Amino acid sequence: MNVLSVVAVRYYAVLLARSQRWLGPVLFYAVALAIDSAGGSSAAEAFAYNAAFLLPVAAWLTRAVLTVEAPESAAITATALGPVRARLAALAAATGYSLLCALVGALVAATTGGIGGTSTLVAGLGTELICVLLGTGVGVLTAPPLVPAVGWGLLLSGLIALGMLVARFSPAAMGIRALTQASNAATAHAHLPLVALPAAVVLVAAAWAVSTAAAIRR
């Protein structure tokens, strides 16, 4: 990543911070963490719970970053950076915000969980990363130019995120299921399925590519 790309990512991050559009997803996630930490869950259960909420939060943050610019400003940015670089910079900023939420969730799960071990920590962090990646994929597919209407975008974002959490072969569901099974068995060992993270990366890369191609055509 060159200097111009770093500046572009910082531009989108600052733009979102100043717009305060991050408040909604961050407060939503903070409330979810507060409810979970008060319940005395095990580390595995806490990681599963936090990861499940990370997916819609990451999708929400991604839509917020991609819609934070006015159309005129977005056209200027795309001209100056190139449409691909501008799009990827916005997605990198959204991913960074989502990873910060994941870090806070991991700290809460690791400190408040009753039963935890190295394997559970690795599985929990891996599942959170998967949910962040899939969330950015959901967000980018339900944001302009693919879904220009705000209402429809939010509705589709929520429905697709829910589908990712309940579909049996979804990478997010695989990770959450592994953590939940470890929690139900009252063990300190949870193992993330090996295929989950690579599958998530492939799905997210495809989603980013489709959205970027649509933005270029526009």
mmCIF file of all heavy atoms in Angstrom, residues 53-66 87-88 90-100 128-144 146 157 160-161 164 200-209 211-212:
data_model
loop_
_atom_site.group_PDB
_atom_site.id
_atom_site.type_symbol
_atom_site.label_atom_id
_atom_site.label_comp_id
_atom_site.label_asym_id
_atom_site.label_seq_id
_atom_site.Cartn_x
_atom_site.Cartn_y
_atom_site.Cartn_z
ATOM 1 N N PHE A 53 -22.957 -10.599 16.760
ATOM 2 C CA PHE A 53 -23.341 -9.193 16.638
ATOM 3 C C PHE A 53 -22.374 -8.414 15.761
ATOM 4 O O PHE A 53 -22.741 -7.381 15.190
ATOM 5 C CB PHE A 53 -23.442 -8.538 18.020
ATOM 6 C CG PHE A 53 -24.745 -8.816 18.718
ATOM 7 C CD1 PHE A 53 -24.854 -9.844 19.634
ATOM 8 C CD2 PHE A 53 -25.873 -8.065 18.433
ATOM 9 C CE1 PHE A 53 -26.057 -10.115 20.271
ATOM 10 C CE2 PHE A 53 -27.084 -8.324 19.055
ATOM 11 C CZ PHE A 53 -27.173 -9.358 19.979
ATOM 12 N N LEU A 54 -21.125 -8.887 15.656
ATOM 13 C CA LEU A 54 -20.155 -8.186 14.833
ATOM 14 C C LEU A 54 -20.543 -8.176 13.363
ATOM 15 O O LEU A 54 -20.240 -7.216 12.643
ATOM 16 C CB LEU A 54 -18.772 -8.837 14.980
ATOM 17 C CG LEU A 54 -17.866 -8.295 16.073
ATOM 18 C CD1 LEU A 54 -16.606 -9.142 16.171
ATOM 19 C CD2 LEU A 54 -17.506 -6.831 15.805
ATOM 20 N N LEU A 55 -21.185 -9.235 12.900
ATOM 21 C CA LEU A 55 -21.504 -9.327 11.478
ATOM 22 C C LEU A 55 -22.433 -8.187 11.027
ATOM 23 O O LEU A 55 -22.095 -7.457 10.088
ATOM 24 C CB LEU A 55 -22.094 -10.700 11.167
ATOM 25 C CG LEU A 55 -21.902 -11.217 9.736
ATOM 26 C CD1 LEU A 55 -22.053 -12.731 9.687
ATOM 27 C CD2 LEU A 55 -22.862 -10.563 8.762
ATOM 28 N N PRO A 56 -23.588 -7.992 11.677
ATOM 29 C CA PRO A 56 -24.424 -6.853 11.261
ATOM 30 C C PRO A 56 -23.792 -5.499 11.559
ATOM 31 O O PRO A 56 -24.020 -4.532 10.824
ATOM 32 C CB PRO A 56 -25.719 -7.060 12.061
ATOM 33 C CG PRO A 56 -25.350 -7.936 13.200
ATOM 34 C CD PRO A 56 -24.261 -8.821 12.704
ATOM 35 N N VAL A 57 -22.994 -5.423 12.616
ATOM 36 C CA VAL A 57 -22.323 -4.158 12.933
ATOM 37 C C VAL A 57 -21.329 -3.798 11.841
ATOM 38 O O VAL A 57 -21.246 -2.646 11.396
ATOM 39 C CB VAL A 57 -21.627 -4.251 14.309
ATOM 40 C CG1 VAL A 57 -20.644 -3.094 14.497
ATOM 41 C CG2 VAL A 57 -22.661 -4.241 15.418
ATOM 42 N N ALA A 58 -20.546 -4.781 11.372
ATOM 43 C CA ALA A 58 -19.585 -4.529 10.293
ATOM 44 C C ALA A 58 -20.308 -4.145 9.003
ATOM 45 O O ALA A 58 -19.849 -3.267 8.254
ATOM 46 C CB ALA A 58 -18.715 -5.760 10.072
ATOM 47 N N ALA A 59 -21.443 -4.793 8.738
ATOM 48 C CA ALA A 59 -22.223 -4.438 7.556
ATOM 49 C C ALA A 59 -22.738 -3.002 7.653
ATOM 50 O O ALA A 59 -22.690 -2.239 6.674
ATOM 51 C CB ALA A 59 -23.390 -5.413 7.395
ATOM 52 N N TRP A 60 -23.200 -2.625 8.828
ATOM 53 C CA TRP A 60 -23.718 -1.269 9.062
ATOM 54 C C TRP A 60 -22.606 -0.238 8.878
ATOM 55 O O TRP A 60 -22.788 0.792 8.212
ATOM 56 C CB TRP A 60 -24.294 -1.217 10.467
ATOM 57 C CG TRP A 60 -25.130 -0.017 10.800
ATOM 58 C CD1 TRP A 60 -25.234 1.151 10.096
ATOM 59 C CD2 TRP A 60 -25.984 0.134 11.939
ATOM 60 N NE1 TRP A 60 -26.088 2.023 10.722
ATOM 61 C CE2 TRP A 60 -26.556 1.424 11.854
ATOM 62 C CE3 TRP A 60 -26.303 -0.681 13.014
ATOM 63 C CZ2 TRP A 60 -27.438 1.905 12.822
ATOM 64 C CZ3 TRP A 60 -27.186 -0.206 13.982
ATOM 65 C CH2 TRP A 60 -27.746 1.072 13.888
ATOM 66 N N LEU A 61 -21.448 -0.503 9.457
ATOM 67 C CA LEU A 61 -20.313 0.417 9.335
ATOM 68 C C LEU A 61 -19.860 0.541 7.883
ATOM 69 O O LEU A 61 -19.497 1.633 7.426
ATOM 70 C CB LEU A 61 -19.154 -0.059 10.209
ATOM 71 C CG LEU A 61 -19.299 0.176 11.712
ATOM 72 C CD1 LEU A 61 -18.218 -0.579 12.472
ATOM 73 C CD2 LEU A 61 -19.226 1.671 12.029
ATOM 74 N N THR A 62 -19.877 -0.571 7.160
ATOM 75 C CA THR A 62 -19.457 -0.539 5.763
ATOM 76 C C THR A 62 -20.395 0.325 4.932
ATOM 77 O O THR A 62 -19.954 1.143 4.114
ATOM 78 C CB THR A 62 -19.405 -1.963 5.187
ATOM 79 O OG1 THR A 62 -18.478 -2.743 5.957
ATOM 80 C CG2 THR A 62 -18.947 -1.949 3.735
ATOM 81 N N ARG A 63 -21.696 0.158 5.131
ATOM 82 C CA ARG A 63 -22.656 0.999 4.409
ATOM 83 C C ARG A 63 -22.471 2.465 4.789
ATOM 84 O O ARG A 63 -22.600 3.356 3.940
ATOM 85 C CB ARG A 63 -24.096 0.588 4.725
ATOM 86 C CG ARG A 63 -24.533 -0.717 4.098
ATOM 87 C CD ARG A 63 -26.051 -0.852 4.065
ATOM 88 N NE ARG A 63 -26.632 -0.146 2.939
ATOM 89 C CZ ARG A 63 -27.129 1.069 2.966
ATOM 90 N NH1 ARG A 63 -27.136 1.752 4.091
ATOM 91 N NH2 ARG A 63 -27.640 1.630 1.879
ATOM 92 N N ALA A 64 -22.161 2.713 6.059
ATOM 93 C CA ALA A 64 -21.976 4.094 6.507
ATOM 94 C C ALA A 64 -20.784 4.741 5.808
ATOM 95 O O ALA A 64 -20.853 5.893 5.363
ATOM 96 C CB ALA A 64 -21.797 4.129 8.021
ATOM 97 N N VAL A 65 -19.678 4.011 5.707
ATOM 98 C CA VAL A 65 -18.489 4.564 5.055
ATOM 99 C C VAL A 65 -18.741 4.798 3.573
ATOM 100 O O VAL A 65 -18.356 5.827 3.007
ATOM 101 C CB VAL A 65 -17.281 3.626 5.250
ATOM 102 C CG1 VAL A 65 -16.100 4.092 4.411
ATOM 103 C CG2 VAL A 65 -16.869 3.575 6.707
ATOM 104 N N LEU A 66 -19.406 3.855 2.915
ATOM 105 C CA LEU A 66 -19.616 3.954 1.473
ATOM 106 C C LEU A 66 -20.639 5.018 1.094
ATOM 107 O O LEU A 66 -20.708 5.402 -0.079
ATOM 108 C CB LEU A 66 -20.058 2.592 0.921
ATOM 109 C CG LEU A 66 -19.012 1.480 0.988
ATOM 110 C CD1 LEU A 66 -19.597 0.168 0.477
ATOM 111 C CD2 LEU A 66 -17.763 1.849 0.200
ATOM 112 N N ARG A 87 -12.533 3.018 -3.876
ATOM 113 C CA ARG A 87 -13.456 2.032 -3.301
ATOM 114 C C ARG A 87 -12.754 1.171 -2.263
ATOM 115 O O ARG A 87 -13.274 0.937 -1.165
ATOM 116 C CB ARG A 87 -13.996 1.146 -4.425
ATOM 117 C CG ARG A 87 -15.182 0.279 -4.039
ATOM 118 C CD ARG A 87 -16.420 1.104 -3.904
ATOM 119 N NE ARG A 87 -17.611 0.288 -3.761
ATOM 120 C CZ ARG A 87 -18.830 0.782 -3.628
ATOM 121 N NH1 ARG A 87 -19.026 2.085 -3.622
ATOM 122 N NH2 ARG A 87 -19.873 -0.005 -3.490
ATOM 123 N N LEU A 88 -11.562 0.705 -2.599
ATOM 124 C CA LEU A 88 -10.825 -0.151 -1.673
ATOM 125 C C LEU A 88 -10.398 0.618 -0.420
ATOM 126 O O LEU A 88 -10.354 0.053 0.675
ATOM 127 C CB LEU A 88 -9.600 -0.743 -2.370
ATOM 128 C CG LEU A 88 -9.894 -1.740 -3.488
ATOM 129 C CD1 LEU A 88 -8.603 -2.237 -4.115
ATOM 130 C CD2 LEU A 88 -10.728 -2.913 -2.969
ATOM 131 N N ALA A 90 -12.113 3.068 0.975
ATOM 132 C CA ALA A 90 -13.311 3.160 1.809
ATOM 133 C C ALA A 90 -13.581 1.839 2.526
ATOM 134 O O ALA A 90 -13.908 1.811 3.722
ATOM 135 C CB ALA A 90 -14.508 3.555 0.959
ATOM 136 N N LEU A 91 -13.405 0.726 1.818
ATOM 137 C CA LEU A 91 -13.632 -0.586 2.428
ATOM 138 C C LEU A 91 -12.574 -0.890 3.490
ATOM 139 O O LEU A 91 -12.889 -1.523 4.509
ATOM 140 C CB LEU A 91 -13.626 -1.658 1.345
ATOM 141 C CG LEU A 91 -14.827 -1.615 0.393
ATOM 142 C CD1 LEU A 91 -14.630 -2.580 -0.765
ATOM 143 C CD2 LEU A 91 -16.110 -1.945 1.143
ATOM 144 N N ALA A 92 -11.352 -0.459 3.266
ATOM 145 C CA ALA A 92 -10.313 -0.653 4.275
ATOM 146 C C ALA A 92 -10.625 0.135 5.543
ATOM 147 O O ALA A 92 -10.422 -0.354 6.666
ATOM 148 C CB ALA A 92 -8.953 -0.232 3.717
ATOM 149 N N ALA A 93 -11.143 1.351 5.382
ATOM 150 C CA ALA A 93 -11.527 2.150 6.550
ATOM 151 C C ALA A 93 -12.664 1.485 7.310
ATOM 152 O O ALA A 93 -12.657 1.422 8.551
ATOM 153 C CB ALA A 93 -11.931 3.559 6.107
ATOM 154 N N ALA A 94 -13.648 0.973 6.583
ATOM 155 C CA ALA A 94 -14.767 0.283 7.223
ATOM 156 C C ALA A 94 -14.288 -0.966 7.954
ATOM 157 O O ALA A 94 -14.729 -1.257 9.079
ATOM 158 C CB ALA A 94 -15.818 -0.095 6.176
ATOM 159 N N THR A 95 -13.374 -1.706 7.347
ATOM 160 C CA THR A 95 -12.829 -2.899 7.989
ATOM 161 C C THR A 95 -12.065 -2.529 9.250
ATOM 162 O O THR A 95 -12.141 -3.231 10.271
ATOM 163 C CB THR A 95 -11.907 -3.655 7.021
ATOM 164 O OG1 THR A 95 -12.627 -3.968 5.825
ATOM 165 C CG2 THR A 95 -11.409 -4.945 7.642
ATOM 166 N N GLY A 96 -11.322 -1.420 9.197
ATOM 167 C CA GLY A 96 -10.584 -0.972 10.379
ATOM 168 C C GLY A 96 -11.502 -0.643 11.540
ATOM 169 O O GLY A 96 -11.240 -1.043 12.684
ATOM 170 N N TYR A 97 -12.579 0.071 11.274
ATOM 171 C CA TYR A 97 -13.556 0.373 12.325
ATOM 172 C C TYR A 97 -14.148 -0.907 12.895
ATOM 173 O O TYR A 97 -14.318 -1.051 14.122
ATOM 174 C CB TYR A 97 -14.677 1.252 11.764
ATOM 175 C CG TYR A 97 -14.417 2.730 11.833
ATOM 176 C CD1 TYR A 97 -13.983 3.436 10.709
ATOM 177 C CD2 TYR A 97 -14.616 3.441 13.005
ATOM 178 C CE1 TYR A 97 -13.745 4.808 10.768
ATOM 179 C CE2 TYR A 97 -14.390 4.807 13.075
ATOM 180 C CZ TYR A 97 -13.947 5.485 11.952
ATOM 181 O OH TYR A 97 -13.711 6.834 12.024
ATOM 182 N N SER A 98 -14.474 -1.844 12.024
ATOM 183 C CA SER A 98 -15.077 -3.100 12.472
ATOM 184 C C SER A 98 -14.096 -3.919 13.309
ATOM 185 O O SER A 98 -14.481 -4.549 14.301
ATOM 186 C CB SER A 98 -15.535 -3.914 11.263
ATOM 187 O OG SER A 98 -16.460 -3.188 10.480
ATOM 188 N N LEU A 99 -12.822 -3.908 12.925
ATOM 189 C CA LEU A 99 -11.819 -4.641 13.693
ATOM 190 C C LEU A 99 -11.603 -4.023 15.072
ATOM 191 O O LEU A 99 -11.305 -4.738 16.039
ATOM 192 C CB LEU A 99 -10.498 -4.684 12.918
ATOM 193 C CG LEU A 99 -10.479 -5.599 11.695
ATOM 194 C CD1 LEU A 99 -9.162 -5.453 10.942
ATOM 195 C CD2 LEU A 99 -10.695 -7.057 12.101
ATOM 196 N N LEU A 100 -11.743 -2.716 15.177
ATOM 197 C CA LEU A 100 -11.665 -2.081 16.498
ATOM 198 C C LEU A 100 -12.802 -2.576 17.393
ATOM 199 O O LEU A 100 -12.596 -2.848 18.587
ATOM 200 C CB LEU A 100 -11.723 -0.560 16.358
ATOM 201 C CG LEU A 100 -10.456 0.139 15.878
ATOM 202 C CD1 LEU A 100 -10.705 1.634 15.699
ATOM 203 C CD2 LEU A 100 -9.311 -0.082 16.876
ATOM 204 N N GLU A 128 -14.453 -13.998 15.168
ATOM 205 C CA GLU A 128 -14.702 -12.561 15.090
ATOM 206 C C GLU A 128 -14.173 -11.987 13.775
ATOM 207 O O GLU A 128 -14.833 -11.162 13.137
ATOM 208 C CB GLU A 128 -14.066 -11.848 16.273
ATOM 209 C CG GLU A 128 -14.783 -12.082 17.593
ATOM 210 C CD GLU A 128 -14.351 -11.113 18.673
ATOM 211 O OE1 GLU A 128 -13.254 -10.517 18.531
ATOM 212 O OE2 GLU A 128 -15.093 -10.936 19.639
ATOM 213 N N LEU A 129 -12.975 -12.415 13.366
ATOM 214 C CA LEU A 129 -12.411 -11.939 12.103
ATOM 215 C C LEU A 129 -13.298 -12.358 10.927
ATOM 216 O O LEU A 129 -13.549 -11.560 10.011
ATOM 217 C CB LEU A 129 -10.999 -12.503 11.921
ATOM 218 C CG LEU A 129 -10.291 -12.160 10.601
ATOM 219 C CD1 LEU A 129 -10.173 -10.656 10.425
ATOM 220 C CD2 LEU A 129 -8.919 -12.824 10.543
ATOM 221 N N ILE A 130 -13.774 -13.589 10.958
ATOM 222 C CA ILE A 130 -14.667 -14.073 9.898
ATOM 223 C C ILE A 130 -15.929 -13.217 9.825
ATOM 224 O O ILE A 130 -16.375 -12.822 8.742
ATOM 225 C CB ILE A 130 -15.026 -15.550 10.140
ATOM 226 C CG1 ILE A 130 -13.812 -16.441 9.834
ATOM 227 C CG2 ILE A 130 -16.222 -15.979 9.302
ATOM 228 C CD1 ILE A 130 -13.996 -17.874 10.267
ATOM 229 N N CYS A 131 -16.509 -12.928 10.975
ATOM 230 C CA CYS A 131 -17.750 -12.140 11.001
ATOM 231 C C CYS A 131 -17.511 -10.709 10.535
ATOM 232 O O CYS A 131 -18.370 -10.114 9.872
ATOM 233 C CB CYS A 131 -18.355 -12.166 12.399
ATOM 234 S SG CYS A 131 -19.098 -13.763 12.832
ATOM 235 N N VAL A 132 -16.352 -10.150 10.862
ATOM 236 C CA VAL A 132 -16.021 -8.813 10.367
ATOM 237 C C VAL A 132 -15.904 -8.827 8.845
ATOM 238 O O VAL A 132 -16.467 -7.965 8.150
ATOM 239 C CB VAL A 132 -14.714 -8.304 11.004
ATOM 240 C CG1 VAL A 132 -14.169 -7.089 10.247
ATOM 241 C CG2 VAL A 132 -14.945 -7.922 12.457
ATOM 242 N N LEU A 133 -15.180 -9.797 8.310
ATOM 243 C CA LEU A 133 -15.004 -9.883 6.863
ATOM 244 C C LEU A 133 -16.337 -10.079 6.149
ATOM 245 O O LEU A 133 -16.650 -9.386 5.168
ATOM 246 C CB LEU A 133 -14.048 -11.027 6.528
ATOM 247 C CG LEU A 133 -12.593 -10.842 6.948
ATOM 248 C CD1 LEU A 133 -11.782 -12.096 6.650
ATOM 249 C CD2 LEU A 133 -11.971 -9.633 6.261
ATOM 250 N N LEU A 134 -17.136 -11.019 6.637
ATOM 251 C CA LEU A 134 -18.434 -11.258 6.014
ATOM 252 C C LEU A 134 -19.345 -10.037 6.149
ATOM 253 O O LEU A 134 -20.131 -9.740 5.246
ATOM 254 C CB LEU A 134 -19.097 -12.483 6.632
ATOM 255 C CG LEU A 134 -18.439 -13.835 6.337
ATOM 256 C CD1 LEU A 134 -19.176 -14.952 7.064
ATOM 257 C CD2 LEU A 134 -18.415 -14.106 4.833
ATOM 258 N N GLY A 135 -19.233 -9.338 7.276
ATOM 259 C CA GLY A 135 -20.029 -8.129 7.458
ATOM 260 C C GLY A 135 -19.693 -7.061 6.431
ATOM 261 O O GLY A 135 -20.590 -6.412 5.882
ATOM 262 N N THR A 136 -18.400 -6.893 6.131
ATOM 263 C CA THR A 136 -18.032 -5.921 5.096
ATOM 264 C C THR A 136 -18.555 -6.371 3.732
ATOM 265 O O THR A 136 -18.961 -5.546 2.910
ATOM 266 C CB THR A 136 -16.507 -5.734 5.031
ATOM 267 O OG1 THR A 136 -15.879 -6.953 4.625
ATOM 268 C CG2 THR A 136 -15.955 -5.294 6.368
ATOM 269 N N GLY A 137 -18.561 -7.686 3.505
ATOM 270 C CA GLY A 137 -19.115 -8.196 2.250
ATOM 271 C C GLY A 137 -20.595 -7.920 2.134
ATOM 272 O O GLY A 137 -21.090 -7.512 1.073
ATOM 273 N N VAL A 138 -21.324 -8.141 3.221
ATOM 274 C CA VAL A 138 -22.766 -7.856 3.225
ATOM 275 C C VAL A 138 -23.010 -6.363 3.023
ATOM 276 O O VAL A 138 -23.875 -5.950 2.241
ATOM 277 C CB VAL A 138 -23.397 -8.332 4.544
ATOM 278 C CG1 VAL A 138 -24.850 -7.853 4.649
ATOM 279 C CG2 VAL A 138 -23.340 -9.849 4.650
ATOM 280 N N GLY A 139 -22.230 -5.552 3.728
ATOM 281 C CA GLY A 139 -22.408 -4.108 3.627
ATOM 282 C C GLY A 139 -22.148 -3.577 2.234
ATOM 283 O O GLY A 139 -22.886 -2.720 1.726
ATOM 284 N N VAL A 140 -21.109 -4.090 1.582
ATOM 285 C CA VAL A 140 -20.752 -3.568 0.261
ATOM 286 C C VAL A 140 -21.768 -4.007 -0.800
ATOM 287 O O VAL A 140 -21.997 -3.299 -1.783
ATOM 288 C CB VAL A 140 -19.322 -4.026 -0.120
ATOM 289 C CG1 VAL A 140 -19.295 -5.461 -0.594
ATOM 290 C CG2 VAL A 140 -18.727 -3.113 -1.171
ATOM 291 N N LEU A 141 -22.398 -5.159 -0.603
ATOM 292 C CA LEU A 141 -23.400 -5.627 -1.558
ATOM 293 C C LEU A 141 -24.748 -4.937 -1.394
ATOM 294 O O LEU A 141 -25.579 -4.975 -2.299
ATOM 295 C CB LEU A 141 -23.589 -7.142 -1.417
ATOM 296 C CG LEU A 141 -22.430 -8.022 -1.891
ATOM 297 C CD1 LEU A 141 -22.732 -9.488 -1.618
ATOM 298 C CD2 LEU A 141 -22.134 -7.805 -3.376
ATOM 299 N N THR A 142 -24.972 -4.320 -0.247
ATOM 300 C CA THR A 142 -26.253 -3.649 0.009
ATOM 301 C C THR A 142 -26.107 -2.138 0.054
ATOM 302 O O THR A 142 -26.987 -1.437 0.553
ATOM 303 C CB THR A 142 -26.856 -4.151 1.339
ATOM 304 O OG1 THR A 142 -25.912 -3.944 2.408
ATOM 305 C CG2 THR A 142 -27.186 -5.627 1.255
ATOM 306 N N ALA A 143 -24.979 -1.640 -0.453
ATOM 307 C CA ALA A 143 -24.725 -0.199 -0.509
ATOM 308 C C ALA A 143 -24.747 0.251 -1.966
ATOM 309 O O ALA A 143 -24.693 -0.576 -2.883
ATOM 310 C CB ALA A 143 -23.366 0.111 0.123
ATOM 311 N N PRO A 144 -24.843 1.553 -2.212
ATOM 312 C CA PRO A 144 -24.759 2.049 -3.590
ATOM 313 C C PRO A 144 -23.423 1.651 -4.222
ATOM 314 O O PRO A 144 -22.425 1.539 -3.508
ATOM 315 C CB PRO A 144 -24.856 3.571 -3.416
ATOM 316 C CG PRO A 144 -25.550 3.761 -2.097
ATOM 317 C CD PRO A 144 -25.084 2.621 -1.248
ATOM 318 N N LEU A 146 -25.061 -0.744 -5.990
ATOM 319 C CA LEU A 146 -25.889 -1.941 -6.158
ATOM 320 C C LEU A 146 -27.277 -1.753 -5.567
ATOM 321 O O LEU A 146 -28.270 -2.172 -6.160
ATOM 322 C CB LEU A 146 -25.187 -3.147 -5.514
ATOM 323 C CG LEU A 146 -23.874 -3.581 -6.177
ATOM 324 C CD1 LEU A 146 -23.221 -4.705 -5.380
ATOM 325 C CD2 LEU A 146 -24.126 -4.027 -7.605
ATOM 326 N N SER A 157 -29.432 -5.734 4.177
ATOM 327 C CA SER A 157 -28.242 -5.950 4.989
ATOM 328 C C SER A 157 -28.562 -6.802 6.209
ATOM 329 O O SER A 157 -27.845 -7.762 6.537
ATOM 330 C CB SER A 157 -27.656 -4.601 5.425
ATOM 331 O OG SER A 157 -26.516 -4.776 6.222
ATOM 332 N N ILE A 160 -29.524 -10.504 5.023
ATOM 333 C CA ILE A 160 -28.374 -11.294 4.579
ATOM 334 C C ILE A 160 -27.464 -11.630 5.757
ATOM 335 O O ILE A 160 -26.939 -12.747 5.867
ATOM 336 C CB ILE A 160 -27.589 -10.546 3.486
ATOM 337 C CG1 ILE A 160 -28.471 -10.345 2.251
ATOM 338 C CG2 ILE A 160 -26.331 -11.325 3.096
ATOM 339 C CD1 ILE A 160 -27.834 -9.486 1.184
ATOM 340 N N ALA A 161 -27.289 -10.664 6.668
ATOM 341 C CA ALA A 161 -26.470 -10.927 7.856
ATOM 342 C C ALA A 161 -27.089 -12.054 8.679
ATOM 343 O O ALA A 161 -26.372 -12.948 9.164
ATOM 344 C CB ALA A 161 -26.344 -9.657 8.690
ATOM 345 N N MET A 164 -26.399 -15.313 7.018
ATOM 346 C CA MET A 164 -25.012 -15.741 7.226
ATOM 347 C C MET A 164 -24.820 -16.384 8.600
ATOM 348 O O MET A 164 -23.971 -17.259 8.779
ATOM 349 C CB MET A 164 -24.072 -14.540 7.099
ATOM 350 C CG MET A 164 -23.869 -14.055 5.690
ATOM 351 S SD MET A 164 -22.772 -15.159 4.788
ATOM 352 C CE MET A 164 -22.606 -14.272 3.246
ATOM 353 N N ALA A 200 -14.413 -17.563 4.017
ATOM 354 C CA ALA A 200 -14.848 -16.181 4.256
ATOM 355 C C ALA A 200 -14.061 -15.206 3.385
ATOM 356 O O ALA A 200 -14.624 -14.261 2.823
ATOM 357 C CB ALA A 200 -14.690 -15.830 5.731
ATOM 358 N N VAL A 201 -12.755 -15.424 3.271
ATOM 359 C CA VAL A 201 -11.914 -14.545 2.452
ATOM 360 C C VAL A 201 -12.360 -14.587 0.992
ATOM 361 O O VAL A 201 -12.452 -13.550 0.318
ATOM 362 C CB VAL A 201 -10.433 -14.945 2.581
ATOM 363 C CG1 VAL A 201 -9.582 -14.179 1.571
ATOM 364 C CG2 VAL A 201 -9.932 -14.678 3.991
ATOM 365 N N VAL A 202 -12.658 -15.778 0.482
ATOM 366 C CA VAL A 202 -13.106 -15.919 -0.908
ATOM 367 C C VAL A 202 -14.439 -15.196 -1.120
ATOM 368 O O VAL A 202 -14.622 -14.469 -2.113
ATOM 369 C CB VAL A 202 -13.231 -17.415 -1.287
ATOM 370 C CG1 VAL A 202 -13.914 -17.567 -2.643
ATOM 371 C CG2 VAL A 202 -11.864 -18.071 -1.309
ATOM 372 N N LEU A 203 -15.374 -15.386 -0.201
ATOM 373 C CA LEU A 203 -16.682 -14.742 -0.328
ATOM 374 C C LEU A 203 -16.570 -13.222 -0.289
ATOM 375 O O LEU A 203 -17.212 -12.508 -1.071
ATOM 376 C CB LEU A 203 -17.610 -15.221 0.789
ATOM 377 C CG LEU A 203 -18.098 -16.668 0.696
ATOM 378 C CD1 LEU A 203 -18.870 -17.047 1.955
ATOM 379 C CD2 LEU A 203 -18.966 -16.867 -0.542
ATOM 380 N N VAL A 204 -15.744 -12.719 0.615
ATOM 381 C CA VAL A 204 -15.589 -11.271 0.750
ATOM 382 C C VAL A 204 -14.886 -10.692 -0.470
ATOM 383 O O VAL A 204 -15.257 -9.622 -0.965
ATOM 384 C CB VAL A 204 -14.819 -10.935 2.040
ATOM 385 C CG1 VAL A 204 -14.481 -9.463 2.094
ATOM 386 C CG2 VAL A 204 -15.639 -11.321 3.252
ATOM 387 N N ALA A 205 -13.857 -11.387 -0.967
ATOM 388 C CA ALA A 205 -13.166 -10.914 -2.167
ATOM 389 C C ALA A 205 -14.131 -10.820 -3.344
ATOM 390 O O ALA A 205 -14.096 -9.854 -4.124
ATOM 391 C CB ALA A 205 -12.003 -11.845 -2.499
ATOM 392 N N ALA A 206 -15.011 -11.800 -3.480
ATOM 393 C CA ALA A 206 -15.998 -11.780 -4.560
ATOM 394 C C ALA A 206 -16.969 -10.615 -4.392
ATOM 395 O O ALA A 206 -17.301 -9.914 -5.360
ATOM 396 C CB ALA A 206 -16.754 -13.105 -4.595
ATOM 397 N N ALA A 207 -17.424 -10.392 -3.151
ATOM 398 C CA ALA A 207 -18.359 -9.288 -2.893
ATOM 399 C C ALA A 207 -17.712 -7.940 -3.180
ATOM 400 O O ALA A 207 -18.323 -7.063 -3.812
ATOM 401 C CB ALA A 207 -18.846 -9.352 -1.444
ATOM 402 N N TRP A 208 -16.482 -7.757 -2.726
ATOM 403 C CA TRP A 208 -15.772 -6.508 -2.981
ATOM 404 C C TRP A 208 -15.572 -6.296 -4.475
ATOM 405 O O TRP A 208 -15.709 -5.178 -4.977
ATOM 406 C CB TRP A 208 -14.416 -6.507 -2.260
ATOM 407 C CG TRP A 208 -14.494 -6.295 -0.784
ATOM 408 C CD1 TRP A 208 -15.532 -6.592 0.042
ATOM 409 C CD2 TRP A 208 -13.472 -5.743 0.048
ATOM 410 N NE1 TRP A 208 -15.218 -6.271 1.347
ATOM 411 C CE2 TRP A 208 -13.967 -5.747 1.382
ATOM 412 C CE3 TRP A 208 -12.188 -5.275 -0.188
ATOM 413 C CZ2 TRP A 208 -13.213 -5.286 2.463
ATOM 414 C CZ3 TRP A 208 -11.422 -4.803 0.889
ATOM 415 C CH2 TRP A 208 -11.940 -4.810 2.201
ATOM 416 N N ALA A 209 -15.231 -7.373 -5.193
ATOM 417 C CA ALA A 209 -14.980 -7.260 -6.628
ATOM 418 C C ALA A 209 -16.246 -6.874 -7.381
ATOM 419 O O ALA A 209 -16.219 -6.011 -8.272
ATOM 420 C CB ALA A 209 -14.430 -8.581 -7.165
ATOM 421 N N SER A 211 -18.894 -5.286 -6.206
ATOM 422 C CA SER A 211 -19.256 -3.909 -5.872
ATOM 423 C C SER A 211 -18.332 -2.906 -6.554
ATOM 424 O O SER A 211 -18.780 -1.868 -7.057
ATOM 425 C CB SER A 211 -19.210 -3.723 -4.351
ATOM 426 O OG SER A 211 -19.437 -2.377 -4.012
ATOM 427 N N THR A 212 -17.048 -3.203 -6.578
ATOM 428 C CA THR A 212 -16.088 -2.296 -7.208
ATOM 429 C C THR A 212 -16.337 -2.205 -8.703
ATOM 430 O O THR A 212 -16.275 -1.116 -9.296
ATOM 431 C CB THR A 212 -14.650 -2.767 -6.942
ATOM 432 O OG1 THR A 212 -14.429 -2.839 -5.528
ATOM 433 C CG2 THR A 212 -13.640 -1.812 -7.547
#
